[in-house]
Amino acid sequence: MIIKGKKREVQLRKIIIIGLFLVGTLSTALAQDEQKQVPRSVTIIQAGTLMAVAGEEPLKERSIIIEDGKIVDVLPSYRTAYEDAEVKIVDLKDKFVMAGLMDMHVHLAMAGGPGKDSGDVALAGVKNAYKTLMIGFTTVRDLGATDDTIFKLRKDINSGDIIGPRILAAGQIIGVGGREDGRECNGIESCRRTTRDMISNGADWIKIYASCSGGRLCSNKDGPAVFFDDEIGAIMAVAKKYKIKVAAHTHPRDSALQVLKFGVSSIEHGSYINDEAMKIMIRDGVYYVPTVSVMDLLEDVVAKGENPPEMLAHDQAFLDNNPGNIFKAYKKGVKIATGTDAGVVPHGKNYREVERFVELGMTNADALKAGTINSAELIDMSDRLGTIEKGKIADIIAVTGNPLEQIKDIENVIFVMKEGHIYKSRKD
Ligand SMILES: [Zn+2]
């Protein structure tokens, strides 16, 4: 058939359109077929004891269904199948299963001192991240690093190239400058600039050094608040602009009261917070991260007795005051989250914070809550983390024993899952 002129053109176009349509239909059909050939894959954790929500009665004989890194269901009894999915069973029938622990005050990538360079910082970060995850801490807030390596570490952990916990990082600490006092904030302009720089470098949080470090005499009860009000105001204004929260390191009474006026989100250490500070913290929902694990270090230092007498007295004052003061804040209802200050104390022993909480009088359930639900709330992730419930990210750990009965069992982590991936799975 010979088709001429315009009619021929129309006819040809029709053939092409029909052809394209057929190819399209065929490829859609093929894609659907391919999809059918890849079955759904879920992991079923059979949990003997499940503390789904810290503070609530643990559940017995449950199955946690995990798909694409998320908890899609928590069902009664031990399941071996789920809908039409291919299943992988994890048998934790004789274990205590709970949400991944969280540490709100670590320094993963910190390596200072003579002969140390950026390579040491990077290696420290990789090693410490691994140690932290393997003991069941699936999320950390990093509150102070030597340099910006922590942001690279965060990126490589997110991509799966390095094994470690989920990191929210502050980068370098902002302080008044000089010695160990952090990135410089001296006067409004300088404070604005430094805060902006930290945020543009990748900070998820801002950490300010509102008093001397605990290792210096000026961090005593009556020690100075080191910033001027307008300096903190400048930092807070920039942070607020970018919707970034601020954590404040403070030991003395007055530096805590100062930063609380400006709406910080957490008080770190807070050794000498008084009744007035506690009242403001309750009113404003400010979290207290008392880093009580540091007591381990202070007890050692005092026992050795090698420091000058005034320093020993300074450390002894912390030991005498802090446990009682933290317990007082807890009883009053100040919100408390776990934070070890790992980096100052050893990495890989982050469970000490939970144990220390119990030693100072907290219930086991509340100590575990501080390390899960409260920490998730502090970092605005309680819709995704902190409990084992439908829709949450699958950060799940298991221990031998029962930390609700004996808190030391929190050290026996034999299983670690982060975002649905299993990083540790041992029998005992
Ligand atoms: Zn610290």
Tab-separated table of all heavy atoms in Angstrom, residues 47-74:
chain	number	residue	atom	x	y	z
A	47	ALA	N	11.515	-12.438	70.567
A	47	ALA	CA	12.032	-11.884	71.814
A	47	ALA	C	11.383	-12.551	73.023
A	47	ALA	O	10.162	-12.505	73.177
A	47	ALA	CB	11.772	-10.375	71.848
A	48	GLY	N	12.220	-13.152	73.874
A	48	GLY	CA	11.715	-13.800	75.088
A	48	GLY	C	11.096	-12.781	76.029
A	48	GLY	O	9.955	-12.908	76.451
A	49	THR	N	11.883	-11.752	76.342
A	49	THR	CA	11.376	-10.621	77.136
A	49	THR	C	11.592	-9.368	76.297
A	49	THR	O	12.695	-9.134	75.811
A	49	THR	CB	12.160	-10.487	78.465
A	49	THR	OG1	12.086	-11.747	79.154
A	49	THR	CG2	11.586	-9.401	79.339
A	50	LEU	N	10.537	-8.597	76.134
A	50	LEU	CA	10.647	-7.389	75.316
A	50	LEU	C	10.276	-6.159	76.135
A	50	LEU	O	9.123	-5.989	76.547
A	50	LEU	CB	9.733	-7.489	74.083
A	50	LEU	CG	9.627	-6.211	73.240
A	50	LEU	CD1	10.965	-5.849	72.620
A	50	LEU	CD2	8.553	-6.352	72.162
A	51	MET	N	11.276	-5.306	76.371
A	51	MET	CA	10.968	-4.007	76.974
A	51	MET	C	10.742	-3.049	75.800
A	51	MET	O	11.642	-2.373	75.334
A	51	MET	CB	12.123	-3.525	77.861
A	51	MET	CG	11.755	-2.262	78.644
A	51	MET	SD	13.104	-1.626	79.673
A	51	MET	CE	14.202	-0.960	78.412
A	52	ALA	N	9.519	-3.047	75.305
A	52	ALA	CA	9.204	-2.236	74.124
A	52	ALA	C	9.316	-0.750	74.454
A	52	ALA	O	9.832	0.034	73.663
A	52	ALA	CB	7.800	-2.571	73.631
A	53	VAL	N	8.826	-0.389	75.630
A	53	VAL	CA	8.843	1.002	76.080
A	53	VAL	C	9.398	1.013	77.503
A	53	VAL	O	8.786	0.449	78.405
A	53	VAL	CB	7.407	1.591	76.075
A	53	VAL	CG1	7.413	3.037	76.558
A	53	VAL	CG2	6.776	1.493	74.682
A	54	ALA	N	10.560	1.615	77.690
A	54	ALA	CA	11.146	1.663	79.038
A	54	ALA	C	10.180	2.374	79.976
A	54	ALA	O	9.625	3.423	79.631
A	54	ALA	CB	12.491	2.382	78.996
A	55	GLY	N	9.975	1.781	81.142
A	55	GLY	CA	9.031	2.375	82.093
A	55	GLY	C	7.700	1.636	82.102
A	55	GLY	O	6.930	1.743	83.043
A	56	GLU	N	7.437	0.875	81.030
A	56	GLU	CA	6.222	0.049	80.988
A	56	GLU	C	6.609	-1.394	81.274
A	56	GLU	O	7.749	-1.795	81.061
A	56	GLU	CB	5.544	0.155	79.613
A	56	GLU	CG	4.919	1.517	79.386
A	56	GLU	CD	4.229	1.638	78.021
A	56	GLU	OE1	4.061	0.601	77.336
A	56	GLU	OE2	3.899	2.779	77.650
A	57	GLU	N	5.632	-2.169	81.707
A	57	GLU	CA	5.853	-3.580	82.027
A	57	GLU	C	6.399	-4.316	80.795
A	57	GLU	O	5.838	-4.193	79.703
A	57	GLU	CB	4.497	-4.179	82.442
A	57	GLU	CG	4.555	-5.422	83.301
A	57	GLU	CD	5.454	-5.308	84.529
A	57	GLU	OE1	5.484	-4.234	85.193
A	57	GLU	OE2	6.132	-6.312	84.815
A	58	PRO	N	7.511	-5.064	80.937
A	58	PRO	CA	8.016	-5.780	79.755
A	58	PRO	C	7.044	-6.876	79.285
A	58	PRO	O	6.279	-7.418	80.081
A	58	PRO	CB	9.332	-6.386	80.230
A	58	PRO	CG	9.342	-6.269	81.703
A	58	PRO	CD	8.357	-5.231	82.109
A	59	LEU	N	7.099	-7.174	78.008
A	59	LEU	CA	6.204	-8.162	77.398
A	59	LEU	C	6.945	-9.482	77.250
A	59	LEU	O	8.160	-9.513	77.107
A	59	LEU	CB	5.747	-7.665	76.011
A	59	LEU	CG	5.191	-6.229	75.979
A	59	LEU	CD1	5.199	-5.680	74.556
A	59	LEU	CD2	3.773	-6.214	76.551
A	60	LYS	N	6.184	-10.574	77.254
A	60	LYS	CA	6.798	-11.895	77.096
A	60	LYS	C	6.451	-12.464	75.722
A	60	LYS	O	5.344	-12.264	75.218
A	60	LYS	CB	6.276	-12.845	78.190
A	60	LYS	CG	6.762	-12.483	79.581
A	60	LYS	CD	8.224	-12.887	79.771
A	60	LYS	CE	8.746	-12.463	81.150
A	60	LYS	NZ	10.192	-12.531	81.255
A	61	GLU	N	7.384	-13.219	75.162
A	61	GLU	CA	7.181	-13.957	73.910
A	61	GLU	C	6.536	-13.092	72.819
A	61	GLU	O	5.369	-13.235	72.501
A	61	GLU	CB	6.338	-15.214	74.178
A	61	GLU	CG	7.061	-16.160	75.119
A	61	GLU	CD	6.358	-17.504	75.290
A	61	GLU	OE1	5.388	-17.766	74.544
A	61	GLU	OE2	6.795	-18.278	76.148
A	62	ARG	N	7.346	-12.228	72.263
A	62	ARG	CA	6.872	-11.346	71.204
A	62	ARG	C	7.706	-11.544	69.939
A	62	ARG	O	8.852	-12.004	70.009
A	62	ARG	CB	6.969	-9.872	71.637
A	62	ARG	CG	5.947	-9.477	72.683
A	62	ARG	CD	4.538	-9.582	72.112
A	62	ARG	NE	3.518	-8.932	72.909
A	62	ARG	CZ	2.905	-9.474	73.963
A	62	ARG	NH1	3.248	-10.669	74.387
A	62	ARG	NH2	1.948	-8.819	74.595
A	63	SER	N	7.117	-11.174	68.813
A	63	SER	CA	7.854	-11.186	67.546
A	63	SER	C	7.900	-9.770	66.994
A	63	SER	O	6.860	-9.126	66.839
A	63	SER	CB	7.182	-12.124	66.552
A	63	SER	OG	7.300	-13.451	67.002
A	64	ILE	N	9.120	-9.314	66.718
A	64	ILE	CA	9.282	-7.974	66.123
A	64	ILE	C	9.536	-8.181	64.640
A	64	ILE	O	10.458	-8.906	64.250
A	64	ILE	CB	10.480	-7.227	66.754
A	64	ILE	CG1	10.398	-7.266	68.286
A	64	ILE	CG2	10.552	-5.792	66.257
A	64	ILE	CD1	11.720	-6.922	68.977
A	65	ILE	N	8.704	-7.563	63.828
A	65	ILE	CA	8.840	-7.725	62.377
A	65	ILE	C	9.556	-6.501	61.812
A	65	ILE	O	9.114	-5.361	62.032
A	65	ILE	CB	7.460	-7.858	61.680
A	65	ILE	CG1	6.508	-8.775	62.479
A	65	ILE	CG2	7.615	-8.285	60.227
A	65	ILE	CD1	6.890	-10.220	62.542
A	66	ILE	N	10.653	-6.737	61.102
A	66	ILE	CA	11.467	-5.630	60.582
A	66	ILE	C	11.563	-5.712	59.056
A	66	ILE	O	11.897	-6.759	58.501
A	66	ILE	CB	12.881	-5.675	61.196
A	66	ILE	CG1	12.775	-5.441	62.712
A	66	ILE	CG2	13.799	-4.646	60.564
A	66	ILE	CD1	13.452	-6.482	63.517
A	67	GLU	N	11.259	-4.605	58.422
A	67	GLU	CA	11.347	-4.553	56.954
A	67	GLU	C	11.908	-3.192	56.553
A	67	GLU	O	11.462	-2.164	57.066
A	67	GLU	CB	9.941	-4.752	56.353
A	67	GLU	CG	9.944	-4.861	54.846
A	67	GLU	CD	8.565	-5.202	54.273
A	67	GLU	OE1	7.558	-5.061	55.002
A	67	GLU	OE2	8.499	-5.601	53.106
A	68	ASP	N	12.875	-3.199	55.657
A	68	ASP	CA	13.499	-1.957	55.171
A	68	ASP	C	13.958	-1.039	56.303
A	68	ASP	O	13.748	0.175	56.253
A	68	ASP	CB	12.524	-1.187	54.263
A	68	ASP	CG	12.248	-1.943	52.980
A	68	ASP	OD1	13.134	-2.686	52.524
A	68	ASP	OD2	11.128	-1.803	52.443
A	69	GLY	N	14.560	-1.642	57.317
A	69	GLY	CA	15.123	-0.834	58.403
A	69	GLY	C	14.132	-0.333	59.424
A	69	GLY	O	14.504	0.371	60.359
A	70	LYS	N	12.854	-0.703	59.244
A	70	LYS	CA	11.839	-0.212	60.179
A	70	LYS	C	11.096	-1.344	60.860
A	70	LYS	O	11.009	-2.456	60.322
A	70	LYS	CB	10.814	0.642	59.418
A	70	LYS	CG	11.319	2.009	59.133
A	70	LYS	CD	10.160	2.922	58.799
A	70	LYS	CE	10.620	4.362	58.785
A	70	LYS	NZ	9.678	5.230	58.117
A	71	ILE	N	10.539	-1.038	62.013
A	71	ILE	CA	9.693	-2.006	62.711
A	71	ILE	C	8.299	-1.883	62.100
A	71	ILE	O	7.668	-0.825	62.201
A	71	ILE	CB	9.657	-1.709	64.231
A	71	ILE	CG1	11.074	-1.842	64.812
A	71	ILE	CG2	8.670	-2.620	64.944
A	71	ILE	CD1	11.264	-1.197	66.166
A	72	VAL	N	7.846	-2.955	61.444
A	72	VAL	CA	6.527	-2.857	60.798
A	72	VAL	C	5.433	-3.464	61.667
A	72	VAL	O	4.246	-3.203	61.456
A	72	VAL	CB	6.501	-3.482	59.382
A	72	VAL	CG1	7.368	-2.675	58.436
A	72	VAL	CG2	6.942	-4.940	59.384
A	73	ASP	N	5.829	-4.273	62.656
A	73	ASP	CA	4.831	-4.857	63.548
A	73	ASP	C	5.493	-5.452	64.780
A	73	ASP	O	6.662	-5.847	64.720
A	73	ASP	CB	4.060	-5.966	62.822
A	73	ASP	CG	2.559	-5.766	62.960
A	73	ASP	OD1	2.134	-5.237	64.008
A	73	ASP	OD2	1.821	-6.129	62.020
A	74	VAL	N	4.756	-5.486	65.868
A	74	VAL	CA	5.183	-6.228	67.065
A	74	VAL	C	4.003	-7.116	67.423
A	74	VAL	O	2.914	-6.624	67.731
A	74	VAL	CB	5.528	-5.279	68.236
A	74	VAL	CG1	5.988	-6.078	69.448
A	74	VAL	CG2	6.622	-4.284	67.832
